[in-house]
Amino acid sequence: MRTTEQARIDRLTAAGQWGTTTLHDLLREQALDRPDQLAVADPPNRAAFTEGDQLRLDFAELERAACALAADLLGRGIRPGDVLIAQLPNVVELVVSYFASSLVGAVLSPLPVQYGAHELGTAARVLRPAAVLTIDQVKGVPLAERAAKALPGVPVLRFAGAAESDGILTVTGQCGDAARKAVDAHLAAHPADANAILTVVWTSGTTGTPKGVPRSHNMWLATGRTSSEAAAYRTGDRLLNPFPLVNMAALGGFLFPMALNGCSLVLHQPFEAGLFLTQIQDERINFTIVPPAMLNHLARDTESWNRFDFSELRRIGSGSAPLSPWMVEVFDRDYGKPIVNFYGSNEGISLFSTPETSVEPDVRATMFPRLGCENMPWSGIAHDYVRNRVVALETGELITEPGQPGELQFAGPTVFDGYLGGNDDGVFTEDGWFRTGDLVEICGEPPNYYRIVGRCKDIINRAGMKISPTEIDILLEGFPGLTDGAVCGYPDRDYGERVCACVVPADPHHPPALEAINAFLLDQGLAKFKLPERIHYLEALPRNPLGKVQRHELELQVKTA
């Protein structure tokens, strides 16, 4: 399957940003260069959430396992262009599946384990899968049984420890001569295409129904190179991935950089703070990504931080939600572990704020360098790859001056071609730029940065005054009586919309009053017209798998409260 027009392929190939290397090409290179180095490791608590032995494969073993699985899939009739749905937790089998699919030329569409029969059916109607790769259960949820009922007629292939029947797949680290010959013959008959679609990932669904995002080897490798630059990866680094291997954060930030740089990928599932910190220490992790809420907790609780040996950790990534400047400062000044602020999406948009581009903590927490724009002081892969601009919502005119909000738009080798099924109305501009739907403004001294002020549809319009909910979210993180907090708009007859604070109290029996929160916000310098006029208490904020607040869910809860 290809989605890219030849003119785009020719242009990006001539620029040296796309090439002929595939994901399985990279694995073979690493297996030759560092066969005995750890390639991928299961979570140590695997037995607590699913079946199967805990696996740790070096690069030679991973290459053999991918070859064996590819031969198995070919033997079951899977062919280039066939779509495989994968619904697996963060276990070694999922990593092997990506490389095996690459060898076959199949398209792998990973789905979160949280997806139920409805979501499986919706995805299958679009994908028309040749098979489902899954496992019997995750935390008691019968994934294989559910997939078989939701997708009648689609073969459901289960990973297990031994070949008990025709529906069982194995990851043993072995690849016999027959399997190797079958895969080599297949590759000779069907040469690999770096511009072929390797995956169909799915939008996070913060608004509307999730949409399929086809991405080629070249798109992913371009993203992997920019992420590697941001994280400052080195050959042999040890990476800890806590995010589901189904989206940009995990694939673009960990899997593809692992293959590009010869890094060791350690998996974590599900997120458990104590185990996560223990893994950083015991696995001698050099880089990981941590949710903002946990970073805030660690910044406040030095005792918890000092309980572990994090001497091998060089820097930490975060994102998906606003970062707090004070937290970034604590990690820089007190812990000596700089934070990298990531901004991206499955569609291929990518910006990041690093210690190199954004020295001051308040800049790194709240702004992103205008990588790829003319007359900027940046250099490097991301600056060469990324193209972006800001466009006025009402007029469509290009914004070049600070302080004027507009939509952020992207182009370049990391960006996809369009959603599966052609549901692209309004997604791209007439001249081919991807419309992110994110509202930003040029900022900084000099104005070399963007500040994200919200979603184009998220802006709260209070009597004609535009209010960015993201701005208030960031301030709420600093209120000591809250575990979490965000704001949303709610309808008002006189003003159109007003602001509601949706908060998770640290002490549910003594929740903070709206007056106390507003006094705090005023002390932080927030304008009075932006203050919340209603408060809504929650046990937890609705967030998608990437940690982004689902503001439309908040709006629904507030309306019906």
Side-chain angles (χ1 to χ4, degrees):
M1 179 195 300
R2 263 197 191 188
T3 62
T4 310
E5 295 180 354
Q6 191 62 44
R8 186 185 185 206
I9 293 173
D10 293 342
R11 183 175 68 254
L12 292 173
T13 302
Q17 296 172 348
W18 281 4
T20 60
T21 301
T22 63
L23 182 63
H24 65 266
D25 289 333
L26 293 174
L27 178 57
R28 284 191 171 177
E29 290 176 11
Q30 302 301 350
L32 289 172
D33 292 345
R34 49 191 57 82
D36 300 327
Q37 179 189 308
L38 177 69
V40 59
D42 264 334
N45 62 327
R46 173 171 177 150
F49 64 85
T50 194
E51 68 268 3
D53 296 332
Q54 183 184 347
L55 297 173
R56 295 175 71 89
L57 303 183
D58 60 32
F59 273 106
E61 291 169 334
L62 176 58
E63 194 277 334
R64 290 196 296 269
C67 180
L69 179 56
D72 191 342
L73 293 172
L74 289 170
R76 297 173 190 271
I78 304 300
R79 292 294 178 262
D82 284 351
V83 177
L84 301 171
I85 287 178
Q87 192 175 35
L88 292 157
N90 274 7
V91 290
V92 165
E93 287 88 336
L94 181 52
V95 174
V96 174
S97 297
Y98 281 104
F99 291 103
S101 295
S102 178
L103 283 165
V104 172
V107 179
L108 192 73
S109 186
L111 299 182
V113 294
Q114 295 90 342
Y115 274 17
H118 172 74
E119 289 84 4
L120 279 168
T122 300
R125 282 191 291 274
V126 177
L127 296 169
R128 298 184 178 180
V132 177
L133 310 184
T134 189
I135 203 163
D136 275 336
Q137 59 85 25
V138 173
K139 288 209 161 185
V141 177
L143 295 189
E145 179 183 339
R146 186 172 63 188
K149 290 180 178 178
L151 308 177
V154 178
V156 175
L157 308 178
R158 298 177 292 133
F159 284 101
E164 300 168 358
S165 71
D166 290 340
I168 297 294
L169 300 171
T170 62
V171 174
T172 64
Q174 302 301 315
C175 184
D177 290 342
R180 180 72 67 185
K181 288 179 180 178
V183 171
D184 288 346
H186 173 77
L187 290 173
H190 305 278
D193 179 6
N195 294 305
I197 295 304
L198 174 63
T199 66
V200 174
V201 292
W202 295 83
T203 59
S204 56
T206 52
T207 57
T209 302
K211 297 181 285 290
V213 181
R215 293 182 61 82
S216 68
H217 296 262
N218 271 324
M219 294 171 193
W220 275 122
L221 294 180
T223 296
R225 293 184 184 104
T226 63
S227 298
S228 297
E229 182 178 68
Y233 286 146
R234 304 171 186 169
T235 300
D237 271 354
R238 299 172 73 88
L239 320 177
L240 177 59
N241 170 45
F243 291 155
L245 271 167
V246 301
N247 53 43
M248 175 62 73
L251 298 178
F254 289 99
L255 181 67
F256 285 84
M258 163 258 208
L260 281 163
N261 301 293
C263 296
S264 302
L265 179 60
V266 179
L267 303 176
H268 179 88
Q269 163 96 22
F271 192 80
E272 295 180 12
L275 178 60
F276 180 73
L277 297 175
T278 300
Q279 282 183 281
I280 295 176
Q281 171 185 272
D282 293 351
E283 296 281 4
R284 306 186 309 282
I285 296 299
N286 304 118
F287 180 85
T288 188
I289 291 181
V290 183
M294 184 176 181
L295 289 176
N296 291 342
H297 169 74
L298 290 172
R300 291 191 181 102
D301 187 359
T302 56
E303 183 178 345
S304 292
W305 176 265
N306 291 328
R307 196 176 300 144
F308 297 89
D309 176 7
F310 296 139
S311 56
E312 297 295 326
L313 191 63
R314 289 201 307 274
R315 57 177 64 186
I316 301 168
S318 195
S320 300
L323 301 188
S324 302
W326 64 269
M327 177 273 291
V328 176
E329 183 175 7
V330 168
F331 272 84
D332 275 13
R333 182 193 63 221
D334 299 342
Y335 299 162
K337 310 296 181 186
I339 302 295
V340 178
N341 190 2
F342 285 94
Y343 163 79
S345 78
N346 285 329
E347 289 87 349
I349 61 179
S350 178
L351 287 177
F352 44 79
S353 200
T354 70
E356 292 76 29
T357 63
S358 314
V359 178
E360 297 301 321
D362 61 329
V363 174
R364 203 177 328 140
T366 61
M367 305 179 194
F368 293 93
R370 296 169 63 196
L371 298 169
C373 294
E374 294 183 358
N375 303 317
M376 292 293 109
W378 325 117
S379 62
I381 292 174
H383 187 59
D384 293 338
Y385 278 31
V386 174
R387 297 171 61 207
N388 53 78
R389 67 188 186 187
V390 185
V391 173
L393 292 179
E394 290 81 7
T395 65
E397 294 180 356
L398 189 67
I399 294 175
T400 59
E401 298 299 321
Q404 302 178 40
E407 183 181 43
L408 183 60
Q409 300 178 353
F410 274 84
T414 64
V415 178
F416 80 138
D417 297 312
Y419 295 112
L420 197 67
N423 183 19
D424 293 327
D425 291 345
V427 173
F428 291 90
T429 63
E430 291 184 0
D431 55 348
W433 290 68
F434 173 63
R435 302 180 61 185
T436 67
D438 285 330
L439 201 65
V440 306
E441 60 184 20
I442 296 171
C443 61
E445 293 292 342
N448 296 337
Y449 297 87
Y450 293 129
R451 177 184 291 110
I452 298 174
V453 297
R455 293 285 294 171
C456 296
K457 295 180 180 180
D458 277 350
I459 292 300
I460 301 170
N461 188 347
R462 185 185 186 277
M465 300 295 287
K466 304 298 193 296
I467 300 172
S468 163
T470 304
E471 175 188 20
I472 308 174
D473 291 352
I474 294 172
L475 296 177
L476 282 176
E477 287 187 0
F479 187 82
L482 299 180
T483 300
D484 207 355
V487 300
C488 69
Y490 65 94
D492 182 80
R493 184 179 60 185
D494 298 323
Y495 287 85
E497 285 184 295
R498 294 181 188 260
V499 180
C500 178
C502 302
V503 300
V504 181
D507 181 357
H509 301 292
H510 299 89
L514 178 62
E515 292 76 14
I517 289 175
N518 283 345
F520 171 81
L521 294 174
L522 286 172
D523 287 343
Q524 303 304 305
L526 188 70
K528 191 172 183 180
F529 77 89
K530 298 180 181 179
L531 291 176
E533 297 173 78
R534 180 176 170 184
I535 192 166
H536 182 61
Y537 299 107
L538 296 164
E539 293 182 359
L541 291 185
R543 295 182 181 272
N544 68 19
L546 291 181
K548 293 181 180 180
V549 173
Q550 295 181 297
R551 215 173 299 272
H552 68 292
E553 291 289 343
L554 288 179
E555 292 170 354
L556 288 174
Q557 291 187 34
V558 169
K559 286 178 183 178
T560 57

